[in-house]
Amino acid sequence: MNAFDPRTYIERIKTASIIDAIGRTYAHRAYLLDLVTPTPGRVLFGPAATIAFLPYRQDFYDAKIHQFGRLFYQAVGENPKGKVLVMASSGYADISMGGGTKFSRLQNHGMAGLLCDGRVRDFDELAEYDFACYCRGEATRWGGDTIMPYAANVPASIGGVAVFPGDYVFADSSGAAIIPAGDIQAILEEALRVEAEDARSIETIRHENPEDVLKGKSAEH
C-alpha cells in the first residue's frame, strides 16, 4: 500500500474545493481572501511553521530575543524543507513584515513558501526565489518600529483564521485555506470529490433544458 503523499493532490484541487471540503466537517472559518503574490501561478502548499508578531513596545523589546532570524529557526525546527512560514501581523495589514533579505532563509532551506496577513518588501527579489509567497501587498518602508516578531511555534491568528503549527496551508490565485493537520488526507480526498461533483454539474448544465429550469423542474446549480 502506497504511503499518503499530500503533495500529489495539489495540481488537482483549488482553494474553493478545499474550503467546501472543510465546511462539510467543520463550521469554523478556514479561508483568507484578498491576497497578492510576487509569484503568480505558483501554488503554496505545506505544513505551517508560525511566527506571531506584536505591536512594537520599546520598553519590552530585546534585540537578542525578538529577532527574526532567531524566531525563524525556532519555528522551522530541524526539518524546514517543504514547510510554509506563516506570520501573523497582529492586525497590521499595511505594515512590512520583512523582505527579500530576511526571507532568503526560506530559499536556503528549501521551504515551500510564505503566508502572512501583512505586507512584504522586494517583490522583484522574491519572484526570483523558488518558493511561493502570498501576502496583503508590497511595502517599501521597514516596519520594525511598528510591529516586532514575538513568538515562534505558537497558535496564530492570521486574517481572522486560527493557524496552529503543523496545520497545512494551501494558497492559489483565489485565496488561502488552512487545513487541520489531523484531517489532511480526509480533507484532500473530499476536495477531489468536490471537484468531481462540480465537473458533473457543469456537464448537467450543458445539457439542461431552459424551459425545465424556468419551471423549477431541474436541480439548482
Side-chain angles (χ1 to χ4, degrees):
M1 185 174 183
N2 294 329
F4 169 68
D5 183 356
R7 294 170 297 179
T8 62
Y9 290 74
I10 64 174
E11 294 183 358
R12 297 181 285 163
I13 54 179
K14 302 182 293 292
T15 296
S17 59
I18 293 175
I19 293 302
D20 284 351
I22 294 173
R24 293 178 178 184
T25 302
Y26 297 108
H28 67 259
R29 176 170 173 158
Y31 62 88
L32 289 83
L33 300 175
D34 301 323
L35 299 173
V36 300
T37 177
T39 56
R42 295 184 192 175
V43 173
L44 175 62
F45 181 74
T50 62
I51 297 179
F53 284 64
L54 285 179
Y56 175 73
R57 278 278 302 263
Q58 186 175 1
D59 61 326
F60 183 78
Y61 178 76
D62 184 333
K64 293 181 179 179
I65 296 175
H66 308 113
Q67 196 256 0
F68 178 82
R70 176 177 179 271
L71 293 174
F72 170 83
Y73 288 114
Q74 286 184 353
V76 303
E78 296 181 355
N79 299 297
K81 187 174 181 179
K83 291 183 178 179
V84 175
L85 182 64
V86 175
M87 301 194 307
S89 71
S90 195
Y92 285 80
D94 290 328
I95 300 301
S96 171
M97 303 184 74
T101 300
K102 288 182 179 179
F103 298 146
S104 65
R105 293 181 175 93
L106 281 74
Q107 177 78 4
N108 296 341
H109 296 283
M111 293 183 65
L114 169 69
L115 176 69
C116 70
D117 60 350
R119 292 177 178 262
V120 302
R121 303 201 299 174
D122 309 319
F123 265 31
D124 289 344
E125 186 175 349
L126 292 172
E128 295 178 355
Y129 293 144
D130 296 324
F131 59 81
C133 172
Y134 285 84
C135 62
R136 292 297 187 192
E138 187 171 14
T140 54
R141 185 185 179 278
W142 169 73
D145 57 349
T146 304
I147 55 176
M148 60 183 185
Y150 175 73
N153 279 329
V154 295
S157 173
I158 175 169
V161 179
V163 182
F164 287 79
D167 282 346
Y168 275 79
V169 176
F170 183 100
D172 59 19
S173 59
S174 62
I178 306 301
I179 309 169
D183 297 310
I184 181 63
Q185 183 170 0
I187 295 297
L188 293 181
E189 290 178 350
E190 187 65 25
L192 285 179
R193 285 190 281 271
V194 172
E195 296 281 356
E197 291 168 6
D198 288 347
R200 289 193 294 270
S201 295
I202 288 172
E203 187 65 20
T204 298
I205 290 170
R206 182 179 292 117
H207 299 288
E208 69 186 5
N209 184 331
E211 292 185 1
D212 288 341
V213 176
L214 289 170
K215 294 176 181 178
K217 294 182 179 180
S218 65
E220 178 65 31
H221 294 289

